[in-house]
Amino acid sequence: MTNELITSSASELAARLAAGEISSVEVTQAHLERTAQVDPAIHAYLHVDAEGALAAARAVDARRAAGDQLSVLAGVPIAVKDVMTATGMPTTCGSKILQGWVPPYESTVVTRIKAAGMPILGKTNMDEFAMGSSTEHSAYGPTRNPWDLERIPGGSGGGSSSVLASFQAPLATGTDTGGSIRQPAAVTGTVGTKPTYGGVSRYGLVALASSLDQAGPCGRTVLDTALLHEVMAGHDPMDSTSINAPVPAVVEAARRADVSGMRIGIVRELTGSGFQAGVQQRFDEAVQHLRDAGAEVVEVSCPSFTYALAAYYLILPSEASSNLAKFDAMRFGLRVLPEGIGDPSAEQVMAATRDAGFGDEVKRRIILGTYALSSGYYDAYYGSAQKVRRLIADDFAAAFERADVLVSPTAPTTAFRFGDKLDDPMAMYLNDIATIPANLAGVPGMSLPSGLAPEDGLPVGFQILAPAMQDQRLYAVGAALEARLLHAWGAPLLACAPTLNAVGQEA
Amino acid sequence: MSRPTTEATLPFEVALASYDPVLGLEVHVELGTQTKMFCGCAAVFGGEPNAQVCPVCLGLPGALPVVNEKAVESAIRIGLALDCQIASWCRFARKNYFYPDMPKNFQTSQYDEPIAFGGHLDVELEDGSTYRVEIERAHMEEDTGKSSHVGGATGRIHGATHSLVDYNRAGIPLIEIVTKPMTGAGERAPEIARAYVATLRDLLKALGVSDVKMEQGSMRCDVNLSLMPKGSTTFGTRTETKNVNSLRSVERAVRYEVGRQAAILAAGGTITQETRHWHEDTGVTTSGREKSDADDYRYFPEPDLVPVAPSAEYVEALRATLPEPPAARRRRLQAQWGYSDLEMRDVVNAALVDLIEQTVGAGASAAGARKWWSGEIARRANDAGSDVPTLAASIGVGPAEVVELESLVTGGRLNDSMARAVWEGVLAGEGTPTVVADARGLQLVQDSGALEAAVDRVIEANPEVAQKIRDGKAQAAGALIGQVMKELKGQADAAAARELILAKLA
C-alpha cells in the first residue's frame, strides 16, 4: 500500500483523494516515511516539515469530509525548492549567509500551493543561490542522483528532481534561470517546465538574475506537471513583470496529447557535435516518435545561439551581483564580526559576513558581474550581451515562423560524476548550452525523459521550446511523446531506477 | 573629532573680478503620495522608527517592487510644469553602492532614461528682470533610510559610537530635478540660485505634488559650483554641496563656495572634486567624501520593473490638470488688484496671495484686503514665528471678517482708527467686527447737531486758524478736524467734519 502511494502519479493520487479512497494524511505520511528511509543517502531535503505537512493534510481531509469544493491537487503533497520563501520554515537558498533565516512573509507561489490544499513536505536542496548545475555548490552538501549515488542530480534544482526520482514527493517546485528545472529533470528521468517569463510570479523567490529567473513545476509525468503549472501560474500584482493574461490551457493540452499537423523544428545548433552519442540517439528516436504521431519535422537554424552562453554569463552575474548586495548582515541572516578588529565598522562587518557567508561560486559570479557593470566596461560586456540577447530573441521569432515548437536534447550529456566539473567552471557552464537560450528570450521550455543512454544506462532529457505564452504546446508535444515512449517501454522510465530501499539498507 | 579648519576665502566681489561662476542645482522633492514608491507602506513624515516598513522597502530576499502610479503621474506633471518633454518609454535603473541605510544596497532610480527632460523655469529677480534656468532632467527615484549617528560630538558618522537606522523613509518617492549648468550669472549667481529654488518650490506647491517643506527635508537642494577664469568657456572642477536646506542657505552657500574656490585658484591651487557639507550655523562648507573616477555606481536597467510608457493621451490629460504657473498668476492678480510692484512683492513674500484672493472674492476691496492682512496680524504672526494664513486659521479669522470690517467703514459706522481698534479686538478673539464694535461702543457720531456744535466750539476757540482758512488756506482745516475729533472722543466722521468746517469758513 505504502509503495503504491509513493509511486502513484499526482493525478492518480488526486483522483483517489477526490473519490475518498485514500486520505491526504495517509499520502503525506507515506512520503514522510519514504524520506526518513532514503533521504539520508540522497540528501534532497534541507528541511523536512513533517508536522506542518501533516497538519495541512488533516485540514484538507477535514474540508473534503465537510464537502468543501477543493482544487484538483488538494491533498497531494509537494516539495518546495529552498529559494521560495514560506512562513514557518527556514529559507536558505543553499547558502550559509541565510542559515536559519525564517522569512516573515511568503512567496506568491507558496501561497497558491497552500491555497490549493497541498501539504508542503519540506524545502529541497539547491546550488547556493541557484548557481550551478550539480548541487555541488550547496553550502549544505550535494544531493545524490537516485540513479547513481556517485552522480550529480542536476542543478540548481537537484533537490527537487531527486525527491521526484526517489519517490519522496509526487510533485516539486523549481526555478529556472538557465536550465535549473530542465537539466535536473533530464538527468533524473523526470519532467520539468520553465514557463514563459512572467507566467509564474517571482514575488518571494530569492532572486538570482531577475530578467532570467522563472519558477515552474516539476513532476514525474507531463500531466502532473501541467496540473501543478496551473496551480502556480497566473497574474500577481506584487510582481510587475508578471503577465496579466489567462494561464495557457496546459492541462487540457496534456490530456489531449495531440501533435497531428504540428510542425516540430529541430534546432541545428543544438544537436550533433558536443552531444553524447546516447543522448543524440535517444533524441533522434524521440523525434521519430513525434513524426509517427503525425507531426511534421523541419530543421531550423538559430545562428546566434552560439553566443548565448557568453551573453548569459555576463547578464546573470551582472544582475546577481546587484541582487546579492542586500546580504549585508544589517537586517537579516548571518552576521560575522571580523577577527582581530575591535569595534568594527558597518562596512567591516558587511565584508566579513559576505566573506564567510558566500561560497566560491557565488563570489566568482559577484566579481564577474561587478566587473561587467563597471564604468568603462559596461558597453563592452553588459551592453553587448543585451544585444546578443536581442539577436537570440530574433532567432527564436524566425524559427517559430517555421515551426510550432523547437526541440533539442536538454543537456549535452547524462549525469556526470561528482567532482568531474567542479574545478572547471567552463565545463560546468557548458552543461546549460541547450537550456540557456530560452531564458534569454523568455520563451517556455520543458524537459521530459526520452530513455536511457545505452553507454551508461542513465536518463536522457528531451527539450521542447515554444513561443512566449504558448506553454500549452509544450504539454501537447510532451504528452504525445510520453505516451508513445511509455507504450514502447511498457513501464515508466523510473521503474528502471535502482530501488533505493536496497541502497538504503546496504548503506 | 577636531572641527575642520576654516578655509581661506576671497571677498565675493574680488572673486568675481577674476572668475565666472558656473552653477548647477539638484533639487530632491519628496512626493506627497499616500504610499511609497514601490510598495504599499504609508509615506508620511515622522512616525515610530521602522514602523512604516514591509519586505519590499526593507529589501528582504525575494521581495519585488511595483511602481506607484500616482508617483509617475506627479513626475509627469512636474515635468510638464517645467516645460519638459515627457519620455514615451523609459526605465528605472539600479544605482549600486553599499550603505547601511539603503536596504537593497542599490537605489532604484533613473539613469539615462529620465521621465522628463529638456525644460526650463523662468525666475524673476529683485530688479524685475527674468533669468531662464534650463532644466536638464527630472527623474523618479526612491529615498533611502535615515541614519542617526550617536555618541559623537557632531552627529556625523566620524566619532560616533554607533548608528541607528530608520527605514520609514526608505522608499518614499523622490523626484530629482537637475538644472543644466548656468553660466553668465556673475554676481547674481547667489540670487539666481535662491530665486530658482523659491520659484520651483512655489510651482511644486501649486501642483500639489509635495508639501515642499525644506526644514523637514521634503525638499532638499544640492549646489554644484565651479569657477572658470573670466572670459573662459571651459568649466572648472566643481564641488557638490549637499543638503542646503533653506532659501537663505542656498544663497549663502553659493556665495561662500565662490569665495572659497576663488581663494584656492588665486593661490595657484586646484579644486578637489568632492562632496561638501553646508554648515547652517557657521555659514561655511566643509569637505565630505572625495568624488573621483573610482566612484562607480554600476548603473543598469532595473530588471524587476517593466518600463514606464505613458501614452500621449495620458500625458495630455495630465497637462490639462496643470495649475496656472505661479508667476503668471501673480502678474494677473497684481494687475487685477492694482498693487504696485513693491506692494505685490511684500504680499507674495508674506504668503498672502491666496488669502487676499479669497478675501477679494468674498467682496472686500483689494486695497482693504491687503491693508488688513498685512497690518497688525502680520506683526503678530512674525512675533509668533508663524505666517499670517497659519495664524488666521488658528484664531478663526478669515475673509468674512475683513469683508465685514470694511463694510462697517464704508457704511459709515466706523472711521479708520476705530476700525483698527475693532480689528485688534477681532484678532484678540473678542468676536466678529460688529460684535466687537458693539461691545466697545464704537460708533461714529451721526447726529449732525452734535457735530455742528463741536465744529462751532472749535472755530471759536481757534480764531487764528479759522482766519487762515478764510484766507484760502484749506489745508489748515486739518488742525481743526483733529480738535473736533478730540471733542467727540474720536467718534466723528472726519470727512463730514472737514466739509462742515470749510462751509462755515468759506
Side-chain angles (χ1 to χ4, degrees):
Chain A
M1 181 64 182
T2 294
N3 194 42
E4 202 184 338
L5 286 180
I6 62 167
T7 55
S8 293
S9 71
S11 61
E12 287 161 0
L13 290 174
R16 295 180 64 197
L17 283 162
E21 294 169 24
I22 52 173
S23 71
S24 178
V25 169
E26 285 174 90
V27 177
T28 304
Q29 188 65 50
H31 284 97
L32 290 168
E33 281 166 13
R34 174 70 174 174
T35 294
Q37 196 177 18
V38 303
D39 210 45
I42 302 289
H43 190 234
Y45 281 110
L46 291 177
H47 177 83
V48 175
D49 185 20
E51 219 170 282
L54 287 169
R58 278 192 294 273
V60 73
D61 283 341
R63 287 178 59 201
R64 198 183 302 278
D68 283 7
Q69 188 73 31
L70 298 175
S71 70
V72 179
L73 289 177
V76 178
I78 186 171
V80 170
K81 190 178 180 183
D82 201 30
V83 73
M84 299 176 170
T85 55
T87 50
M89 273 184 263
T91 295
T92 71
C93 296
S95 179
K96 282 268 184 281
I97 210 161
L98 275 179
Q99 190 159 23
W101 182 60
V102 179
Y105 78 111
E106 192 155 87
S107 55
T108 300
V109 167
V110 168
T111 300
R112 283 174 185 262
I113 285 169
K114 287 183 177 174
M118 302 176 72
I120 295 175
L121 296 165
K123 304 294 285 292
T124 59
N125 196 17
M126 55 188 282
D127 287 291
E128 185 176 4
F129 288 110
M131 296 181 189
S133 308
S134 70
T135 69
E136 288 167 293
H137 295 306
S138 168
Y140 304 101
T143 296
R144 295 173 184 279
N145 189 327
W147 288 82
D148 179 346
L149 299 184
E150 296 311 309
R151 291 178 187 264
I152 60 104
S156 63
S160 285
S161 67
S162 287
V163 293
L164 297 173
S166 60
F167 300 100
Q168 297 188 61
L171 291 168
T173 65
T175 55
D176 189 314
T177 305
S180 286
I181 288 175
R182 289 163 289 160
Q183 181 257 8
V187 299
T188 56
T190 58
V191 182
T193 300
K194 180 201 95 72
T196 300
Y197 183 80
V200 174
S201 169
R202 291 186 298 115
Y203 187 76
L205 277 49
V206 181
L208 169 54
S210 310
S211 74
L212 302 164
D213 294 348
Q214 184 54 212
C218 308
R220 283 192 297 262
T221 73
V222 172
L223 177 60
D224 286 3
T225 309
L227 289 167
L228 180 56
H229 190 132
E230 290 199 354
V231 169
M232 294 172 73
H235 180 243
D236 178 10
M238 298 294 278
D239 174 2
S240 83
T241 63
S242 158
I243 296 168
N244 192 358
V247 177
V250 294
V251 171
E252 190 197 335
R255 289 194 197 281
R256 290 183 56 199
D258 184 8
V259 292
S260 54
M262 269 181 101
R263 287 170 308 162
I264 311 270
I266 296 173
V267 184
R268 189 185 300 151
E269 287 76 9
L270 298 180
T271 54
S273 79
F275 287 79
Q276 190 182 317
V279 169
Q280 185 66 43
Q281 186 190 330
R282 295 300 180 224
F283 173 73
D284 294 340
E285 290 166 9
V287 170
Q288 187 55 46
H289 276 299
L290 290 171
R291 209 179 266 124
D292 295 345
E296 182 194 340
V297 175
V298 298
E299 193 181 71
V300 299
S301 177
C302 296
S304 300
F305 283 17
T306 315
Y307 308 106
L309 195 70
Y312 177 82
Y313 276 101
L314 288 168
I315 293 167
L316 178 142
S318 296
E319 293 185 11
S321 71
S322 176
N323 282 333
L324 294 177
K326 60 169 62 85
F327 298 91
D328 63 359
M330 290 296 118
R331 286 147 292 120
F332 56 83
L334 185 72
R335 177 176 290 176
V336 174
L337 299 180
E339 277 180 45
I341 300 176
D343 212 3
S345 69
E347 286 78 2
Q348 286 165 329
V349 173
M350 283 184 192
T353 302
R354 289 167 68 81
D355 184 31
F358 286 143
D360 286 349
E361 182 62 21
V362 174
K363 287 176 187 164
R364 174 163 30 236
R365 297 202 198 184
I366 288 174
I367 291 168
L368 264 173
T370 303
Y371 186 77
L373 288 175
S374 296
S375 163
Y377 297 100
Y378 179 92
D379 290 341
Y381 294 131
Y382 190 81
S384 300
Q386 290 294 359
K387 284 178 193 151
V388 170
R389 193 172 188 172
R390 162 55 48 197
L391 293 175
I392 285 166
D394 291 347
D395 275 4
F396 268 117
F400 285 128
E401 290 284 309
R402 301 193 49 221
D404 298 307
V405 296
L406 306 179
V407 296
S408 77
T410 308
T413 67
T414 55
F416 49 89
R417 285 192 171 76
F418 286 115
D420 267 7
K421 301 186 177 182
L422 203 51
D423 297 326
D424 185 355
M426 267 310 291
M428 184 81 91
Y429 296 170
L430 279 166
N431 216 257
D432 298 331
I433 190 130
T435 46
I436 278 171
N439 299 85
L440 288 170
V443 302
M446 172 190 281
S447 178
L448 75 158
S450 59
L452 302 178
E455 60 269 35
D456 55 19
L458 292 168
V460 172
F462 182 84
Q463 177 176 240
I464 310 161
L465 303 170
M469 299 176 74
Q470 301 295 332
D471 304 43
Q472 77 285 354
R473 292 188 197 169
L474 306 175
Y475 290 92
V477 176
L481 177 58
E482 180 183 58
R484 296 189 78 87
L485 287 171
L486 190 60
H487 181 74
W489 299 333
L493 194 66
L494 277 166
C496 304
T499 54
L500 289 165
N501 293 339
V503 175
Q505 280 152 13
E506 280 165 19
Chain B
M1 166 202 173
S2 61
R3 283 193 71 85
T5 49
T6 308
E7 295 179 57
T9 58
L10 283 186
F12 186 65
E13 293 70 20
V14 176
L16 285 168
S18 308
Y19 300 102
D20 279 331
V22 178
L23 176 67
L25 295 163
E26 291 173 21
V27 173
H28 286 88
V29 184
E30 276 184 1
L31 294 180
T33 51
Q34 295 286 308
T35 56
K36 291 185 177 180
M37 188 74 216
F38 300 116
C39 65
C41 289
V44 292
F45 183 76
E48 184 80 5
N50 297 311
Q52 291 151 15
V53 292
C54 73
V56 177
C57 58
L58 277 180
L60 295 190
L64 293 174
V66 175
V67 173
N68 181 337
E69 284 182 20
K70 189 76 188 171
V72 175
E73 178 194 299
S74 295
I76 294 173
R77 292 179 73 232
I78 290 170
L80 291 171
L82 292 169
D83 270 325
C84 287
Q85 284 177 264
I86 304 301
S88 57
W89 190 92
C90 66
R91 289 178 294 186
F92 284 91
R94 291 187 184 178
K95 180 180 183 180
N96 294 286
Y97 64 99
F98 282 82
Y99 203 78
D101 66 15
M102 200 164 52
K104 298 168 291 185
N105 286 319
F106 61 79
Q107 181 188 30
T108 307
S109 179
Q110 292 195 288
Y111 181 48
D112 49 2
E113 298 169 9
I115 182 82
F117 54 94
H120 59 82
L121 182 64
D122 290 334
V123 302
E124 289 172 12
L125 304 179
E126 290 281 330
D127 65 3
S129 66
T130 297
Y131 184 91
R132 172 160 288 193
V133 178
E134 301 288 344
I135 305 294
E136 172 84 34
R137 57 188 280 158
H139 73 247
M140 302 177 276
E141 62 185 29
E142 59 178 339
D143 211 341
T144 61
K146 198 174 166 70
S147 298
S148 312
H149 305 295
V150 185
T154 60
R156 292 195 187 282
I157 194 163
H158 299 291
T161 57
H162 61 285
S163 301
L164 301 172
V165 186
D166 178 4
Y167 294 105
N168 284 353
R169 201 180 71 177
I172 300 253
L174 289 181
I175 302 294
E176 180 175 343
I177 301 161
V178 183
T179 68
K180 286 190 175 155
M182 294 177 234
T183 55
E187 82 278 0
R188 296 190 305 171
E191 189 198 346
I192 288 171
R194 178 192 176 122
Y196 166 71
V197 176
T199 307
L200 186 59
R201 189 188 59 176
D202 290 350
L203 182 68
L204 296 169
K205 199 166 189 176
L207 283 166
V209 294
S210 168
D211 61 7
V212 286
K213 288 184 177 161
M214 293 187 84
E215 68 282 6
Q216 284 187 2
S218 63
M219 180 171 180
R220 314 195 278 271
C221 183
D222 301 341
V223 174
N224 290 314
L225 194 113
S226 67
L227 296 182
M228 53 187 181
K230 260 201 164 343
S232 170
T233 52
T234 310
F235 294 176
T237 304
R238 69 187 165 85
T239 60
E240 182 177 358
T241 302
K242 289 270 184 198
N243 293 325
V244 189
N245 290 338
S246 73
L247 293 179
R248 184 164 165 265
S249 294
V250 169
E251 189 164 358
R252 290 168 76 205
V254 171
R255 185 173 280 269
Y256 177 83
E257 268 300 289
V258 167
R260 189 189 70 85
Q261 292 187 17
I264 293 170
L265 294 173
T270 52
I271 305 299
T272 308
Q273 186 174 345
E274 63 183 353
T275 299
R276 297 186 66 84
H277 298 295
W278 168 249
H279 300 270
E280 184 83 46
D281 48 353
T282 49
V284 304
T285 67
T286 57
S287 178
R289 197 164 47 88
E290 220 173 272
K291 283 205 155 194
S292 68
D293 294 341
D295 256 346
D296 186 348
Y297 294 120
R298 291 175 283 121
Y299 281 102
F300 72 103
E302 167 58 277
D304 283 329
L305 291 169
V306 291
V308 175
S311 70
E313 295 75 28
Y314 175 63
V315 171
E316 287 317 303
L318 290 181
R319 196 189 297 278
T321 70
L322 295 183
E324 184 181 13
R329 173 169 175 246
R330 285 198 297 271
R331 280 193 293 275
R332 175 175 61 78
L333 291 174
Q334 185 183 349
Q336 204 171 303
W337 295 340
Y339 292 176
S340 70
D341 288 350
L342 187 66
E343 285 168 345
M344 191 65 196
R345 204 181 66 202
D346 289 346
V347 160
V348 169
N349 288 342
L352 290 175
V353 175
D354 290 348
L355 201 50
I356 290 177
E357 189 179 30
Q358 289 157 19
T359 306
V360 170
S365 70
R370 188 179 66 80
K371 172 173 151 185
W372 295 115
W373 288 125
S374 54
E376 173 64 16
I377 189 169
R379 274 189 296 280
R380 288 183 185 216
N382 194 41
D383 290 348
S386 178
D387 57 34
V388 170
T390 309
L391 182 64
S394 74
I395 56 182
V397 177
E401 280 69 32
V402 172
V403 171
E404 185 180 328
L405 182 67
E406 199 177 49
S407 73
L408 291 178
V409 176
T410 54
R413 172 167 178 181
L414 302 178
N415 64 19
D416 191 60
S417 63
M418 291 160 80
R420 284 177 199 279
V422 167
W423 186 232
E424 275 177 38
V426 171
L427 296 182
E430 292 169 21
T432 65
T434 307
V435 169
V436 174
D438 288 349
R440 296 190 177 189
L442 293 170
Q443 168 78 50
L444 281 176
V445 174
Q446 300 291 341
D447 178 354
S448 58
L451 182 63
E452 191 167 355
V455 167
D456 288 343
R457 282 198 298 279
V458 168
I459 289 173
E460 198 179 323
N462 297 281
E464 288 165 23
V465 181
Q467 189 53 50
K468 281 183 185 167
I469 296 168
R470 282 193 193 91
D471 294 345
K473 289 188 177 169
Q475 65 270 33
L480 296 189
I481 295 167
Q483 298 269 345
V484 171
M485 282 291 180
K486 213 170 176 182
E487 285 275 329
L488 293 173
K489 298 186 171 58
Q491 304 204 9
D493 182 340
R498 179 185 168 84
E499 260 178 46
L500 203 54
I501 289 165
L502 294 179
K504 284 182 181 284
L505 300 176

